[in-house]
Amino acid sequence: MTQPAYSARELVRRAKGLAGTLSPEEVAKLHREGAILIDVREPTETASGQIRGAHAVPRGTLEFSIGDVTDDHDARLVTYCSAGSRAALAAATLKQMGYAGAIASEAGFEELRKTGLPIEHDD
């Protein structure tokens, strides 16, 4: 059996290097300034809540669905997930697609919630 060229951990590390990451406080600041937040968690995860105004775009459909959120390749896009790994992969993918302002939250949803970001639930 052939070994993968990179482990999942290495792919995430490389994605963080390509896209960059933000602290929870930086995410909150950009949210207040109007950045587009992209929640790349799965629907079963977002059912427990998401940051108010965030767009739910599961990581598996990102490449096909980001155009429904914005076609502005210069917009500031901040991705987040439950722990930070999918957010990094998503932001790196967006960068590769030409979204120059894409960056990932290094924190997951629960840590972001603790910064006081407004949360909304599907009702």
Side-chain angles (χ1 to χ4, degrees), residues 32-51:
R32 289 190 302 272
E33 294 173 355
I36 300 171
L37 270 59
I38 310 292
D39 186 335
V40 298
R41 297 176 299 154
E42 294 297 315
T44 54
E45 296 170 290
T46 60
S48 67
Q50 67 183 50
I51 298 170

Side-chain angles (χ1 to χ4, degrees), residues 8-22 38 40 59 62 78-96 102-108:
R9 184 174 298 195
E10 178 64 13
L11 285 174
V12 170
R13 187 188 69 73
R14 288 172 176 261
K16 287 179 178 180
L18 176 64
T21 60
L22 298 170
I38 310 292
V40 298
R59 172 66 193 96
L62 180 70
V78 179
T79 59
Y80 73 91
C81 63
S82 62
S85 296
R86 286 176 288 174
L89 294 168
T93 296
L94 290 169
K95 288 258 191 200
Q96 291 170 334
I103 194 162
S105 170
E106 65 187 19

Side-chain angles (χ1 to χ4, degrees), residues 1-2 4 8 20-21 23 38 48 54 58 66-67 72 77 89 101 103 108 118 120:
M1 186 156 93
T2 304
T21 60
S23 70
I38 310 292
S48 67
I66 191 62
D72 180 356
L77 304 176
L89 294 168
I103 194 162
E120 61 188 10

